mmCIF file of all heavy atoms in Angstrom:
data_model
loop_
_atom_site.group_PDB
_atom_site.id
_atom_site.type_symbol
_atom_site.label_atom_id
_atom_site.label_comp_id
_atom_site.label_asym_id
_atom_site.label_seq_id
_atom_site.Cartn_x
_atom_site.Cartn_y
_atom_site.Cartn_z
ATOM 1 N N ALA A 27 -36.831 -56.198 -47.343
ATOM 2 C CA ALA A 27 -37.972 -55.881 -46.479
ATOM 3 C C ALA A 27 -39.273 -56.298 -47.149
ATOM 4 O O ALA A 27 -39.492 -56.025 -48.316
ATOM 5 C CB ALA A 27 -38.006 -54.390 -46.183
ATOM 6 N N THR A 28 -40.110 -56.981 -46.394
ATOM 7 C CA THR A 28 -41.451 -57.334 -46.835
ATOM 8 C C THR A 28 -42.416 -56.685 -45.857
ATOM 9 O O THR A 28 -42.268 -56.849 -44.663
ATOM 10 C CB THR A 28 -41.661 -58.860 -46.817
ATOM 11 O OG1 THR A 28 -40.660 -59.460 -47.608
ATOM 12 C CG2 THR A 28 -43.034 -59.217 -47.341
ATOM 13 N N THR A 29 -43.380 -55.946 -46.366
ATOM 14 C CA THR A 29 -44.304 -55.219 -45.491
ATOM 15 C C THR A 29 -45.712 -55.767 -45.669
ATOM 16 O O THR A 29 -46.186 -55.918 -46.779
ATOM 17 C CB THR A 29 -44.310 -53.711 -45.829
ATOM 18 O OG1 THR A 29 -42.996 -53.236 -45.757
ATOM 19 C CG2 THR A 29 -45.194 -52.946 -44.874
ATOM 20 N N GLU A 30 -46.339 -56.069 -44.532
ATOM 21 C CA GLU A 30 -47.742 -56.459 -44.537
ATOM 22 C C GLU A 30 -48.433 -55.605 -43.486
ATOM 23 O O GLU A 30 -47.899 -55.379 -42.417
ATOM 24 C CB GLU A 30 -47.904 -57.929 -44.188
ATOM 25 C CG GLU A 30 -47.285 -58.864 -45.203
ATOM 26 C CD GLU A 30 -47.493 -60.319 -44.845
ATOM 27 O OE1 GLU A 30 -48.580 -60.638 -44.327
ATOM 28 O OE2 GLU A 30 -46.579 -61.095 -45.079
ATOM 29 N N ILE A 31 -49.622 -55.116 -43.792
ATOM 30 C CA ILE A 31 -50.347 -54.266 -42.862
ATOM 31 C C ILE A 31 -51.560 -55.026 -42.334
ATOM 32 O O ILE A 31 -52.321 -55.606 -43.094
ATOM 33 C CB ILE A 31 -50.793 -52.948 -43.529
ATOM 34 C CG1 ILE A 31 -49.556 -52.174 -43.986
ATOM 35 C CG2 ILE A 31 -51.652 -52.127 -42.576
ATOM 36 C CD1 ILE A 31 -49.884 -50.913 -44.740
ATOM 37 N N TYR A 32 -51.709 -55.025 -41.012
ATOM 38 C CA TYR A 32 -52.832 -55.668 -40.349
ATOM 39 C C TYR A 32 -53.575 -54.610 -39.558
ATOM 40 O O TYR A 32 -52.964 -53.769 -38.915
ATOM 41 C CB TYR A 32 -52.344 -56.753 -39.375
ATOM 42 C CG TYR A 32 -51.568 -57.859 -40.033
ATOM 43 C CD1 TYR A 32 -50.186 -57.811 -40.088
ATOM 44 C CD2 TYR A 32 -52.231 -58.944 -40.590
ATOM 45 C CE1 TYR A 32 -49.474 -58.829 -40.688
ATOM 46 C CE2 TYR A 32 -51.523 -59.961 -41.193
ATOM 47 C CZ TYR A 32 -50.140 -59.902 -41.246
ATOM 48 O OH TYR A 32 -49.440 -60.903 -41.831
ATOM 49 N N THR A 33 -54.877 -54.675 -39.580
ATOM 50 C CA THR A 33 -55.678 -53.758 -38.778
ATOM 51 C C THR A 33 -56.279 -54.539 -37.618
ATOM 52 O O THR A 33 -56.868 -55.595 -37.813
ATOM 53 C CB THR A 33 -56.804 -53.137 -39.616
ATOM 54 O OG1 THR A 33 -56.227 -52.496 -40.742
ATOM 55 C CG2 THR A 33 -57.590 -52.122 -38.794
ATOM 56 N N LEU A 34 -56.093 -54.039 -36.423
ATOM 57 C CA LEU A 34 -56.625 -54.668 -35.220
ATOM 58 C C LEU A 34 -57.621 -53.721 -34.577
ATOM 59 O O LEU A 34 -57.409 -52.514 -34.558
ATOM 60 C CB LEU A 34 -55.502 -54.960 -34.230
ATOM 61 C CG LEU A 34 -54.379 -55.867 -34.706
ATOM 62 C CD1 LEU A 34 -53.285 -55.924 -33.656
ATOM 63 C CD2 LEU A 34 -54.907 -57.251 -35.001
ATOM 64 N N SER A 35 -58.694 -54.281 -34.057
ATOM 65 C CA SER A 35 -59.649 -53.434 -33.341
ATOM 66 C C SER A 35 -59.079 -53.109 -31.962
ATOM 67 O O SER A 35 -58.101 -53.713 -31.514
ATOM 68 C CB SER A 35 -60.998 -54.146 -33.200
ATOM 69 O OG SER A 35 -60.893 -55.166 -32.234
ATOM 70 N N LEU A 36 -59.701 -52.194 -31.286
ATOM 71 C CA LEU A 36 -59.241 -51.813 -29.956
ATOM 72 C C LEU A 36 -59.387 -52.957 -28.960
ATOM 73 O O LEU A 36 -58.778 -52.955 -27.913
ATOM 74 C CB LEU A 36 -60.002 -50.591 -29.459
ATOM 75 C CG LEU A 36 -59.694 -49.293 -30.192
ATOM 76 C CD1 LEU A 36 -60.614 -48.185 -29.687
ATOM 77 C CD2 LEU A 36 -58.249 -48.900 -29.996
ATOM 78 N N HIS A 37 -60.216 -53.957 -29.263
ATOM 79 C CA HIS A 37 -60.449 -55.068 -28.357
ATOM 80 C C HIS A 37 -59.482 -56.224 -28.584
ATOM 81 O O HIS A 37 -59.477 -57.181 -27.831
ATOM 82 C CB HIS A 37 -61.892 -55.561 -28.477
ATOM 83 C CG HIS A 37 -62.896 -54.487 -28.204
ATOM 84 N ND1 HIS A 37 -63.073 -53.955 -26.954
ATOM 85 C CD2 HIS A 37 -63.736 -53.823 -29.015
ATOM 86 C CE1 HIS A 37 -64.001 -53.016 -27.009
ATOM 87 N NE2 HIS A 37 -64.418 -52.916 -28.254
ATOM 88 N N ASP A 38 -58.705 -56.152 -29.640
ATOM 89 C CA ASP A 38 -57.742 -57.216 -29.924
ATOM 90 C C ASP A 38 -56.506 -57.052 -29.051
ATOM 91 O O ASP A 38 -56.149 -55.959 -28.628
ATOM 92 C CB ASP A 38 -57.311 -57.208 -31.394
ATOM 93 C CG ASP A 38 -58.428 -57.626 -32.325
ATOM 94 O OD1 ASP A 38 -59.352 -58.305 -31.849
ATOM 95 O OD2 ASP A 38 -58.361 -57.283 -33.515
ATOM 96 N N ALA A 39 -55.865 -58.162 -28.793
ATOM 97 C CA ALA A 39 -54.619 -58.139 -28.021
ATOM 98 C C ALA A 39 -53.544 -58.835 -28.833
ATOM 99 O O ALA A 39 -53.814 -59.781 -29.569
ATOM 100 C CB ALA A 39 -54.809 -58.857 -26.692
ATOM 101 N N LEU A 40 -52.357 -58.368 -28.708
ATOM 102 C CA LEU A 40 -51.224 -58.968 -29.396
ATOM 103 C C LEU A 40 -50.243 -59.458 -28.330
ATOM 104 O O LEU A 40 -49.451 -58.677 -27.811
ATOM 105 C CB LEU A 40 -50.559 -57.933 -30.307
ATOM 106 C CG LEU A 40 -49.392 -58.404 -31.142
ATOM 107 C CD1 LEU A 40 -49.854 -59.448 -32.152
ATOM 108 C CD2 LEU A 40 -48.762 -57.231 -31.854
ATOM 109 N N PRO A 41 -50.322 -60.743 -27.942
ATOM 110 C CA PRO A 41 -49.416 -61.229 -26.895
ATOM 111 C C PRO A 41 -47.999 -61.398 -27.428
ATOM 112 O O PRO A 41 -47.795 -61.947 -28.512
ATOM 113 C CB PRO A 41 -50.021 -62.575 -26.499
ATOM 114 C CG PRO A 41 -50.782 -63.003 -27.702
ATOM 115 C CD PRO A 41 -51.233 -61.768 -28.408
ATOM 116 N N ILE A 42 -47.055 -60.899 -26.680
ATOM 117 C CA ILE A 42 -45.645 -61.020 -27.029
ATOM 118 C C ILE A 42 -44.922 -61.494 -25.789
ATOM 119 O O ILE A 42 -45.082 -60.924 -24.717
ATOM 120 C CB ILE A 42 -45.065 -59.668 -27.495
ATOM 121 C CG1 ILE A 42 -45.813 -59.160 -28.729
ATOM 122 C CG2 ILE A 42 -43.573 -59.779 -27.757
ATOM 123 C CD1 ILE A 42 -45.430 -57.766 -29.149
ATOM 124 N N SER A 43 -44.135 -62.541 -25.921
ATOM 125 C CA SER A 43 -43.389 -63.016 -24.754
ATOM 126 C C SER A 43 -42.010 -62.390 -24.750
ATOM 127 O O SER A 43 -41.453 -62.052 -25.779
ATOM 128 C CB SER A 43 -43.281 -64.548 -24.761
ATOM 129 O OG SER A 43 -42.479 -64.962 -25.828
ATOM 130 N N MET A 44 -41.467 -62.235 -23.554
ATOM 131 C CA MET A 44 -40.165 -61.608 -23.408
ATOM 132 C C MET A 44 -39.431 -62.290 -22.267
ATOM 133 O O MET A 44 -39.959 -62.417 -21.178
ATOM 134 C CB MET A 44 -40.365 -60.115 -23.103
ATOM 135 C CG MET A 44 -39.091 -59.365 -22.849
ATOM 136 S SD MET A 44 -39.418 -57.632 -22.500
ATOM 137 C CE MET A 44 -39.639 -57.016 -24.146
ATOM 138 N N ASN A 45 -38.238 -62.783 -22.525
ATOM 139 C CA ASN A 45 -37.454 -63.365 -21.437
ATOM 140 C C ASN A 45 -36.518 -62.302 -20.872
ATOM 141 O O ASN A 45 -36.501 -61.167 -21.338
ATOM 142 C CB ASN A 45 -36.712 -64.625 -21.893
ATOM 143 C CG ASN A 45 -35.685 -64.343 -22.964
ATOM 144 O OD1 ASN A 45 -35.145 -63.253 -23.050
ATOM 145 N ND2 ASN A 45 -35.418 -65.331 -23.792
ATOM 146 N N THR A 46 -35.724 -62.652 -19.876
ATOM 147 C CA THR A 46 -34.899 -61.647 -19.208
ATOM 148 C C THR A 46 -33.832 -61.079 -20.136
ATOM 149 O O THR A 46 -33.449 -59.933 -20.001
ATOM 150 C CB THR A 46 -34.248 -62.222 -17.944
ATOM 151 O OG1 THR A 46 -33.538 -63.401 -18.293
ATOM 152 C CG2 THR A 46 -35.289 -62.520 -16.891
ATOM 153 N N ALA A 47 -33.356 -61.866 -21.092
ATOM 154 C CA ALA A 47 -32.363 -61.345 -22.035
ATOM 155 C C ALA A 47 -32.995 -60.265 -22.903
ATOM 156 O O ALA A 47 -32.396 -59.220 -23.150
ATOM 157 C CB ALA A 47 -31.806 -62.470 -22.904
ATOM 158 N N ASP A 48 -34.223 -60.509 -23.377
ATOM 159 C CA ASP A 48 -34.931 -59.499 -24.162
ATOM 160 C C ASP A 48 -35.188 -58.253 -23.336
ATOM 161 O O ASP A 48 -35.117 -57.146 -23.835
ATOM 162 C CB ASP A 48 -36.280 -60.039 -24.642
ATOM 163 C CG ASP A 48 -36.151 -61.205 -25.591
ATOM 164 O OD1 ASP A 48 -35.138 -61.268 -26.298
ATOM 165 O OD2 ASP A 48 -37.060 -62.040 -25.610
ATOM 166 N N LYS A 49 -35.483 -58.454 -22.062
ATOM 167 C CA LYS A 49 -35.810 -57.333 -21.203
ATOM 168 C C LYS A 49 -34.624 -56.387 -21.061
ATOM 169 O O LYS A 49 -34.775 -55.185 -21.072
ATOM 170 C CB LYS A 49 -36.263 -57.842 -19.838
ATOM 171 C CG LYS A 49 -36.932 -56.801 -19.004
ATOM 172 C CD LYS A 49 -37.539 -57.427 -17.784
ATOM 173 C CE LYS A 49 -38.319 -56.406 -17.014
ATOM 174 N NZ LYS A 49 -38.927 -56.979 -15.836
ATOM 175 N N SER A 50 -33.418 -56.922 -20.957
ATOM 176 C CA SER A 50 -32.254 -56.054 -20.819
ATOM 177 C C SER A 50 -32.015 -55.258 -22.101
ATOM 178 O O SER A 50 -31.605 -54.115 -22.061
ATOM 179 C CB SER A 50 -31.011 -56.871 -20.453
ATOM 180 O OG SER A 50 -30.693 -57.762 -21.499
ATOM 181 N N ILE A 51 -32.301 -55.842 -23.248
ATOM 182 C CA ILE A 51 -32.169 -55.128 -24.513
ATOM 183 C C ILE A 51 -33.241 -54.053 -24.615
ATOM 184 O O ILE A 51 -32.990 -52.961 -25.113
ATOM 185 C CB ILE A 51 -32.274 -56.125 -25.693
ATOM 186 C CG1 ILE A 51 -31.050 -57.022 -25.715
ATOM 187 C CG2 ILE A 51 -32.411 -55.395 -27.020
ATOM 188 C CD1 ILE A 51 -31.161 -58.193 -26.665
ATOM 189 N N SER A 52 -34.424 -54.363 -24.112
ATOM 190 C CA SER A 52 -35.532 -53.418 -24.231
ATOM 191 C C SER A 52 -35.291 -52.131 -23.453
ATOM 192 O O SER A 52 -35.896 -51.109 -23.763
ATOM 193 C CB SER A 52 -36.831 -54.071 -23.778
ATOM 194 O OG SER A 52 -36.805 -54.264 -22.387
ATOM 195 N N LEU A 53 -34.415 -52.191 -22.452
ATOM 196 C CA LEU A 53 -34.143 -50.977 -21.672
ATOM 197 C C LEU A 53 -33.480 -49.901 -22.529
ATOM 198 O O LEU A 53 -33.520 -48.730 -22.187
ATOM 199 C CB LEU A 53 -33.274 -51.319 -20.463
ATOM 200 C CG LEU A 53 -33.945 -52.206 -19.414
ATOM 201 C CD1 LEU A 53 -32.955 -52.568 -18.312
ATOM 202 C CD2 LEU A 53 -35.158 -51.527 -18.829
ATOM 203 N N MET A 54 -32.871 -50.302 -23.633
ATOM 204 C CA MET A 54 -32.228 -49.313 -24.502
ATOM 205 C C MET A 54 -33.242 -48.424 -25.203
ATOM 206 O O MET A 54 -32.952 -47.314 -25.571
ATOM 207 C CB MET A 54 -31.353 -50.021 -25.538
ATOM 208 C CG MET A 54 -30.164 -50.719 -24.933
ATOM 209 S SD MET A 54 -29.033 -51.389 -26.151
ATOM 210 C CE MET A 54 -30.027 -52.653 -26.907
ATOM 211 N N ASP A 55 -34.419 -48.910 -25.427
ATOM 212 C CA ASP A 55 -35.413 -48.119 -26.133
ATOM 213 C C ASP A 55 -36.680 -48.013 -25.295
ATOM 214 O O ASP A 55 -37.598 -48.813 -25.423
ATOM 215 C CB ASP A 55 -35.714 -48.735 -27.495
ATOM 216 C CG ASP A 55 -36.543 -47.793 -28.359
ATOM 217 O OD1 ASP A 55 -36.979 -46.745 -27.871
ATOM 218 O OD2 ASP A 55 -36.747 -48.119 -29.532
ATOM 219 N N LEU A 56 -36.708 -47.017 -24.435
ATOM 220 C CA LEU A 56 -37.842 -46.837 -23.534
ATOM 221 C C LEU A 56 -39.119 -46.461 -24.276
ATOM 222 O O LEU A 56 -40.213 -46.731 -23.797
ATOM 223 C CB LEU A 56 -37.518 -45.790 -22.482
ATOM 224 C CG LEU A 56 -36.413 -46.193 -21.506
ATOM 225 C CD1 LEU A 56 -36.075 -45.041 -20.590
ATOM 226 C CD2 LEU A 56 -36.809 -47.409 -20.717
ATOM 227 N N ALA A 57 -38.973 -45.894 -25.451
ATOM 228 C CA ALA A 57 -40.164 -45.519 -26.214
ATOM 229 C C ALA A 57 -40.985 -46.745 -26.582
ATOM 230 O O ALA A 57 -42.214 -46.712 -26.548
ATOM 231 C CB ALA A 57 -39.751 -44.768 -27.472
ATOM 232 N N ILE A 58 -40.333 -47.834 -26.911
ATOM 233 C CA ILE A 58 -41.051 -49.076 -27.225
ATOM 234 C C ILE A 58 -41.683 -49.636 -25.962
ATOM 235 O O ILE A 58 -42.825 -50.077 -25.978
ATOM 236 C CB ILE A 58 -40.108 -50.106 -27.881
ATOM 237 C CG1 ILE A 58 -39.729 -49.627 -29.286
ATOM 238 C CG2 ILE A 58 -40.760 -51.479 -27.960
ATOM 239 C CD1 ILE A 58 -38.712 -50.501 -29.975
ATOM 240 N N ARG A 59 -40.965 -49.632 -24.853
ATOM 241 C CA ARG A 59 -41.491 -50.193 -23.604
ATOM 242 C C ARG A 59 -42.743 -49.455 -23.126
ATOM 243 O O ARG A 59 -43.614 -50.043 -22.513
ATOM 244 C CB ARG A 59 -40.423 -50.172 -22.511
ATOM 245 C CG ARG A 59 -39.365 -51.238 -22.701
ATOM 246 C CD ARG A 59 -38.342 -51.220 -21.600
ATOM 247 N NE ARG A 59 -38.872 -51.347 -20.271
ATOM 248 C CZ ARG A 59 -39.196 -52.486 -19.674
ATOM 249 N NH1 ARG A 59 -39.075 -53.622 -20.315
ATOM 250 N NH2 ARG A 59 -39.648 -52.499 -18.450
ATOM 251 N N ARG A 60 -42.834 -48.155 -23.404
ATOM 252 C CA ARG A 60 -44.003 -47.391 -22.968
ATOM 253 C C ARG A 60 -45.267 -47.805 -23.708
ATOM 254 O O ARG A 60 -46.363 -47.529 -23.261
ATOM 255 C CB ARG A 60 -43.767 -45.897 -23.180
ATOM 256 C CG ARG A 60 -42.828 -45.281 -22.188
ATOM 257 C CD ARG A 60 -42.919 -43.761 -22.246
ATOM 258 N NE ARG A 60 -42.874 -43.235 -23.596
ATOM 259 C CZ ARG A 60 -41.807 -42.694 -24.171
ATOM 260 N NH1 ARG A 60 -40.677 -42.634 -23.537
ATOM 261 N NH2 ARG A 60 -41.886 -42.223 -25.396
ATOM 262 N N ARG A 61 -45.123 -48.463 -24.836
ATOM 263 C CA ARG A 61 -46.277 -48.810 -25.647
ATOM 264 C C ARG A 61 -46.811 -50.217 -25.397
ATOM 265 O O ARG A 61 -47.710 -50.669 -26.075
ATOM 266 C CB ARG A 61 -45.916 -48.642 -27.118
ATOM 267 C CG ARG A 61 -45.799 -47.172 -27.499
ATOM 268 C CD ARG A 61 -45.150 -46.977 -28.833
ATOM 269 N NE ARG A 61 -45.154 -45.590 -29.248
ATOM 270 C CZ ARG A 61 -44.322 -44.669 -28.831
ATOM 271 N NH1 ARG A 61 -43.408 -44.980 -27.935
ATOM 272 N NH2 ARG A 61 -44.377 -43.447 -29.275
ATOM 273 N N PHE A 62 -46.243 -50.918 -24.430
ATOM 274 C CA PHE A 62 -46.672 -52.279 -24.142
ATOM 275 C C PHE A 62 -47.012 -52.425 -22.664
ATOM 276 O O PHE A 62 -46.490 -51.706 -21.823
ATOM 277 C CB PHE A 62 -45.561 -53.299 -24.474
ATOM 278 C CG PHE A 62 -45.270 -53.400 -25.932
ATOM 279 C CD1 PHE A 62 -44.193 -52.735 -26.477
ATOM 280 C CD2 PHE A 62 -46.075 -54.177 -26.757
ATOM 281 C CE1 PHE A 62 -43.913 -52.835 -27.828
ATOM 282 C CE2 PHE A 62 -45.806 -54.278 -28.102
ATOM 283 C CZ PHE A 62 -44.726 -53.602 -28.641
#
Side-chain angles (χ1 to χ4, degrees):
T28 304
T29 305
E30 296 181 37
I31 298 176
Y32 299 94
T33 304
L34 301 174
S35 74
L36 291 175
H37 302 291
D38 291 338
L40 182 65
I42 300 173
S43 67
M44 177 180 280
N45 64 27
T46 54
D48 296 331
K49 194 171 185 180
S50 64
I51 291 169
S52 70
L53 294 176
M54 293 187 294
D55 191 353
L56 294 175
I58 291 175
R59 285 181 56 83
R60 285 194 313 259
R61 288 167 175 80
F62 293 99

